[in-house]
Amino acid sequence: MTGGERREQLIGVGRSLFASKGVEGTTVEEIAAAAGVSKPVVYQHFGGKEGLYAVVVDREIAALLGAITRALSGRGSPRTLLERATTALLDYIESSTEGFRILVRDSPVAPVAPTTGTFASLISDIARQVEHLLVDAFAARGYAPERSGMYAQMLVGMVAMTGQWWLDTREPAKEEVAAHLVNLAWNGLTGLEPEPRLSTRVHLPPPAGPAA
């Protein structure tokens, strides 16, 4: 393998081990054995387990933020954009189960490296991206627009926590979960629709390639 190929192999191996055993439960010896290399090779590329973990987390954060950004980049009503963002998060959980499991379980309270974020900071980043969806809706209904940031945190937190639950249950179907999430977020408990459906068939742009 070239140096770049070996690095990518180690990232893939580390990602799988971190997802199944956690960062604390994974050793450099296990990473090296799974990749068929010696321990010094892991240290050469990443400086140790923590460096490898930081790269894995950074890639997952970039992938999830990228999916949310693409979902919100098109035109549409606030509800349609909310549906797209919700579906994008569930799509990521479905297609990148190992990555999401790493983010929600092992993302540390304090970063293990300067570029590594936590799941809480990731949720805040996503909330800042959806905050603008609420400003006009708040103003039209006589609510204080300056509260939109707080409500964005609530909405994204609700979706993220539901995503953690759905990570293991996978029932009901993804589209049904998204419809019920949007139902609660958009209508509130007093205006819940008895049989919610997404108002549009959501078509998201293809995912970008893996981050470097």
Side-chain angles (χ1 to χ4, degrees):
M1 289 186 181
T2 65
E5 290 171 340
R6 179 65 73 189
R7 178 182 172 85
E8 291 302 315
Q9 181 210 22
L10 289 170
I11 291 172
V13 167
R15 184 176 186 266
S16 295
L17 287 172
F18 294 144
S20 63
K21 305 185 68 173
V23 62
E24 294 299 328
T26 301
T27 65
V28 173
E29 288 85 356
E30 289 173 317
I31 295 168
V37 299
S38 62
K39 287 170 54 179
V41 174
V42 179
Y43 287 110
Q44 175 187 350
H45 282 277
F46 301 101
K49 176 181 69 175
E50 291 77 12
L52 175 57
Y53 174 73
V55 171
V56 170
V57 171
D58 283 348
R59 284 195 175 192
E60 295 306 324
I61 288 176
L64 180 51
L65 280 177
I68 299 296
T69 300
R70 289 191 298 274
L72 297 175
S73 63
R75 294 182 178 180
S77 67
R79 173 163 180 158
T80 297
L81 294 176
L82 178 60
E83 291 180 356
R84 291 177 184 168
T86 300
T87 302
L89 176 57
L90 294 177
D91 280 344
Y92 169 80
I93 294 172
E94 183 177 57
S95 62
S96 300
T97 299
E98 288 185 341
F100 188 72
R101 198 177 297 279
I102 290 169
L103 291 180
V104 299
R105 182 179 64 188
D106 284 332
S107 213
V109 175
V112 297
T115 56
T116 300
T118 67
F119 188 61
S121 66
L122 173 62
I123 293 302
S124 293
D125 288 342
I126 296 174
R128 282 191 288 271
Q129 293 195 48
V130 304
E131 180 178 345
H132 73 278
L133 301 179
L134 303 179
V135 174
D136 292 341
F138 272 37
R141 290 164 175 78
Y143 302 146
E146 62 267 22
R147 300 297 187 199
S148 59
M150 179 178 67
Y151 276 87
Q153 294 284 341
M154 295 175 184
L155 289 172
V156 173
M158 177 182 71
V159 174
M161 290 300 293
T162 303
Q164 291 187 56
W165 164 78
W166 188 72
L167 176 66
D168 293 317
T169 65
R170 297 302 174 99
E171 289 185 359
K174 177 179 62 179
E175 291 76 13
E176 186 175 350
V177 174
H180 282 278
L181 277 168
V182 173
N183 186 29
L184 177 58
W186 193 256
N187 297 309
L189 288 173
T190 59
L192 287 179
E193 301 165 355
E195 295 292 338
R197 296 287 185 273
L198 297 181
S199 61
T200 57
R201 184 177 294 275
V202 178
H203 295 285
L204 298 177

